[in-house]
Amino acid sequence: MRAWSRVDPAYFQRLNLRAHELLADVPLHDVWMVELPGGGPNRTLADARGFMSGENLMSLKPVVRSLFQLRAWLGRVFRWDSTTRTPSRQSFIHRLSDEDRKQSLMEPGSPDGPFTVIYVRPFEAVSEIRNATVHAFSVLAFEPCSGGYRLFWAIYVAPVSRLTALYMALIDPFRRVLIYPAVLRHVHQSWCIAHQESAV
């Protein structure tokens, strides 16, 4: 049995997360989960999040790296992607309270690969990306469980135009069959190596 898979959104929504309130008016597109065995006590999201950085993802299969590169190329050709990092008026950063900002371990608005950080907490992180195709949010949640930890990865997508639905329909097969499984497999295997556990 694989240690990573898509999961019922209701299973994710039971978690006590600030993201549920912050993104209450944004459709939840899908949720993934990966089991992280062992690791010892007092682990936090930072222990798993680092394995998802751009530098660490360079070891993914060539076909997956090629898909990332293709998307970047299409973004340049069709001018889908903004060249500025300044949060737009539509950014959910403007929904943060003073307390949200104080609790964040990273400055809201910091770069997070192609995304922008909204906030990072010990067990939860939200980043967003807005371009000509989508206004999307990546939510990571980390929880202890029997025998280790679980990392949840939820994607929320708000439409920005009629292009959004078509765009998501085109990329979803690649996301769900190739990209997300590859990323979560990498996280699982990297975690197991770091904590000397047996990878599935």
Side-chain angles (χ1 to χ4, degrees):
M1 182 177 178
R2 289 179 176 175
W4 56 91
S5 64
R6 287 182 70 193
V7 297
D8 184 344
Y11 188 59
F12 167 74
Q13 290 171 324
R14 70 178 173 79
L15 300 176
N16 182 21
L17 302 177
R18 170 72 171 105
H20 297 326
E21 178 184 358
L22 185 72
L23 303 176
D25 57 344
V26 182
L28 176 55
H29 193 69
D30 57 8
V31 183
W32 293 74
M33 183 183 72
V34 58
E35 300 283 354
L36 303 174
N42 303 319
R43 295 295 176 184
T44 68
L45 177 58
D47 293 300
R49 193 168 178 265
F51 299 130
M52 300 178 75
S53 69
E55 181 177 334
N56 280 306
L57 293 181
M58 289 304 293
S59 62
L60 293 178
K61 291 180 179 179
V63 65
V64 177
R65 295 202 309 270
S66 296
L67 288 172
F68 282 121
Q69 293 165 355
L70 174 62
R71 171 57 183 84
W73 179 78
L74 290 172
R76 291 192 298 270
V77 170
F78 292 103
R79 299 182 179 179
W80 286 340
D81 304 320
S82 173
T83 57
T84 179
R85 281 287 185 176
T86 304
S88 69
R89 287 180 298 174
Q90 295 83 13
S91 172
F92 278 39
I93 288 175
H94 304 304
R95 296 189 178 192
L96 297 178
S97 67
D98 290 341
E99 189 62 25
D100 289 329
R101 293 176 181 275
K102 288 178 183 177
Q103 291 182 8
S104 183
L105 303 177
M106 289 182 67
E107 182 68 24
S110 300
D112 185 18
F115 284 73
T116 298
V117 168
I118 294 183
Y119 63 79
V120 176
R121 294 180 175 183
F123 299 97
E124 176 185 4
V126 180
S127 297
E128 73 176 340
I129 185 169
R130 184 181 176 91
N131 53 39
T133 60
V134 295
H135 190 179
F137 302 84
S138 170
V139 178
L140 297 174
F142 189 80
E143 71 163 0
C145 64
S146 176
Y149 300 86
R150 292 190 184 102
L151 176 68
F152 293 86
W153 188 10
I155 303 299
Y156 292 74
V157 179
V160 295
S161 71
R162 288 180 294 180
L163 177 61
T164 300
L166 174 61
Y167 176 79
M168 294 306 299
L170 289 173
I171 70 169
D172 272 345
F174 299 100
R175 288 175 56 251
R176 291 170 175 168
V177 175
L178 294 173
I179 295 175
Y180 284 64
V183 171
L184 294 178
R185 182 189 305 115
H186 170 79
V187 171
H188 175 76
Q189 292 176 344
S190 298
W191 174 278
C192 289
I193 291 170
H195 301 291
Q196 298 183 339
E197 299 288 338
S198 297
V200 175

